[in-house]
Structures are given as structure tokens and as C-alpha cells.
Amino acid sequence: MSLLRLTFLGTSAAQPTLHRNLSGLAVKADADLLLFDCGEGSQRQMVRYGTGFSVDAVFFTHFHADHYLGIIGFLRTLGMMGREHPVQLYGPPTARRVLHQAVHLGVDALAFPVEIHELKDGDVVRRGGYSVQAVGVDHRINALAYVLAEDERPGRFNVEKARALGVPEGPSFGKLQKGEAVTLADGTTVRPEDVVGTSRPGRKLVISGDTRPCASLVKASQDADLLVHESTFSDDEQERAIETRHSTAREAARVAREAGARRLILTHLSSRHDTDPTKLLVQAREEYKGPVEVAHDGLTVELPLRD
């Protein structure tokens, strides 16, 4: 997988504002386009920010209305565009009941298949070159975080060493890079480990969904390239955060610090912080010394390959 790009479609908590839409995150993973949550208005944001509509799968963190109601209109739009191949929908238990209602709302049946899957903590969805793992988190209802983990990447191919060993350029180079041994004209066998370095770790993206800070998320976020964590409230709203099972910016930053995450992006902001999230950013930076920023609608981030 070469491309891993995030586009924040909505960064507001509970209700849309003039500047922020409801929860939605588009992730381009090479040829795949994934959505993580699909709040009301997400499809308009996809048009606005140019993500395209060729969505392969939607992963719902939970089924509070602000995180999933946008799927109703989005599926209808796909139908009007002539979609024929299936859309995969994933979410925690109640997904089959809730999403079945959403899919079949209205008079006209969809002209393409919609396949609904329920996930629990630890379940893994395998896709080409990467996986998406469900992680149980602490919210008012059954909720999941998701870990998108790229497969381990092959080591670097040493062209000069291959030439020195007498490997002819062309198909033989390709075989060695794929892990296949090559026999030379003189009968010598060159093995992949002779010319290919050690495997390199893939990238790791963690998306918290709505949650209190919890041990399961810290564990899942170990050494993540990026942790996208909700930060609905500030320090002076701590009681409200506990009551509603959300996190403050400081708590999100503590999760990132304890997990050793390489980067933190805060999202899912209360309308109190709609236009000026400075307080959230300051409090997070007091707790976590790595790169941290507050997401805004339309923010696009590409995660570079690990060396």
C-alpha cells in the first residue's frame, strides 16, 4: 500500500455548526475508499472536499444518530449514480437491526447489494494489503474504535549487490523482490535474503470514535503513526465528559502519550469550541509532547511510509 490519506468530513460533536459538520472521516487506502462514520451531510462534504463516492466499506463506531444518519441519503445517491457492486457496512452489535432499517427506508429498493456485518472487540477485517481491527471502547452504548494496520512491507532491494552477484536485470530482480529464489546460468542460487533487507513495519492509524479514555484504546494505539481521538470537552468540562462518556483534550493527549503514538489529531468538538479550539490545543500540548493539532472540516492528511 503506497497511499494512506485521511479527509475529515465532519469534526463537530452532537450537532452541526456553521463551520463543522457531523462525524465523518474518509480514508483512501490505495484503491480503496473507506468511511469511518457517516453523519448527516457527509455526502455533501465528500463533494466539497473531492473524495469521490466510490466507497468500498463504511465502519461505524456506534449508533448515536450524529454518527450514522448520513448513510441513508448516501446509499440513495449511490443508487441514482448506477452503482451495481456491493457496499460493505460494519459496526458493533445492533448494526444489523439499525442499518437494515436505514438501508430499507423509503419506497424504492436499492439496485445494488448492501452487506451488513457486526463486529465485536478483537474482530479483524482483512483487505488488500492491510486490515481493520475493531477495539471495544467506553461510551454510553456499545461502541468501537478502529485500527487500520498496513501489512509489513518488504525490505529494500539492494540493486548493486544483486548485480555484483551476477543477477541479470529484469524478471529475476522481480522474483527476488517477491521472495522467490533465482538460479543463475552457472547454477548459483541467489536467495531473497541475499539482496533484500529486513522487512519494514507498515503504517498504523487509530480512530477512537466516541469514548472515555480507556486501557483498550491505549493498548491498541501503541506506536501508532496517527491517533485520531475525540476531544469533546476541555478541562473545565470534566464532569460533563464523565457524565456523557466522552473525553477532554487533555485525556485524549494522555492516551497518545501512554501509547507512544507518533502523532495526535483531536476531533469531535463541542460547539463551545467550534470557532476557537485554542484551549483544547493548549491543554493537549501540556500532556503530550508529540505533534498535535485540532482537526477542521476538510483537513487532509497523508501518512508517509515508514523507513
Side-chain angles (χ1 to χ4, degrees), residues 72-281:
I72 298 170
F74 180 59
L75 292 175
R76 296 290 159 179
T77 296
L78 292 182
M80 288 189 291
M81 295 175 66
R83 177 153 180 151
E84 296 179 349
H85 59 284
V87 174
Q88 308 294 328
L89 304 182
Y90 299 90
T94 70
R96 289 195 179 95
R97 176 177 59 82
V98 172
L99 292 176
H100 178 84
Q101 293 172 343
V103 168
H104 295 282
L105 185 66
V107 176
D108 298 326
L110 291 173
F112 59 92
V114 177
E115 299 175 2
I116 301 171
H117 313 268
E118 289 190 351
L119 300 176
K120 61 182 184 300
D121 178 47
D123 284 348
V124 176
V125 178
R126 282 291 314 165
R127 297 190 64 88
Y130 66 96
S131 63
V132 179
Q133 179 177 352
V135 178
V137 292
D138 179 7
H139 193 41
R140 285 174 291 164
I141 62 173
N142 200 357
L144 297 172
Y146 291 103
V147 179
L148 190 157
E150 183 182 24
D151 293 349
E152 196 172 65
R153 295 160 51 230
R156 296 187 184 279
F157 182 69
N158 190 325
V159 174
E160 295 305 318
K161 190 171 183 180
R163 286 173 178 160
L165 290 171
V167 180
E169 295 189 33
S172 294
F173 275 23
K175 287 184 178 181
L176 288 165
Q177 288 174 304
K178 292 176 183 176
E180 302 174 20
V182 170
T183 301
L184 305 181
D186 64 2
T188 302
T189 298
V190 179
R191 296 175 175 81
E193 56 266 29
D194 297 328
V195 293
V196 179
T198 56
S199 297
R200 293 169 289 175
R203 290 161 290 185
K204 182 177 179 181
L205 165 65
V206 181
I207 300 162
S208 76
D210 288 9
T211 183
R212 290 288 299 146
C214 55
S216 60
L217 190 55
V218 171
K219 182 179 179 181
S221 303
Q222 294 294 313
D223 195 35
D225 292 82
L226 173 60
L227 169 61
V228 178
H229 200 295
E230 72 123 295
S231 58
T232 311
F233 298 113
S234 60
D235 286 353
D236 55 349
E237 301 162 296
Q238 181 69 67
E239 289 186 10
R240 181 66 174 156
I242 294 172
E243 177 188 353
T244 59
R245 310 313 294 167
H246 285 291
S247 296
T248 66
R250 185 180 300 278
E251 289 172 327
R254 188 173 300 138
V255 170
R257 175 174 57 79
E258 292 177 355
R262 297 167 178 239
R263 183 177 179 182
L264 172 65
I265 295 182
L266 305 175
T267 189
H268 198 267
L269 277 58
S270 164
S271 58
R272 298 175 183 85
H273 309 287
D274 179 27
T275 58
D276 185 11
T278 304
K279 182 186 292 187
L280 301 181
L281 191 58

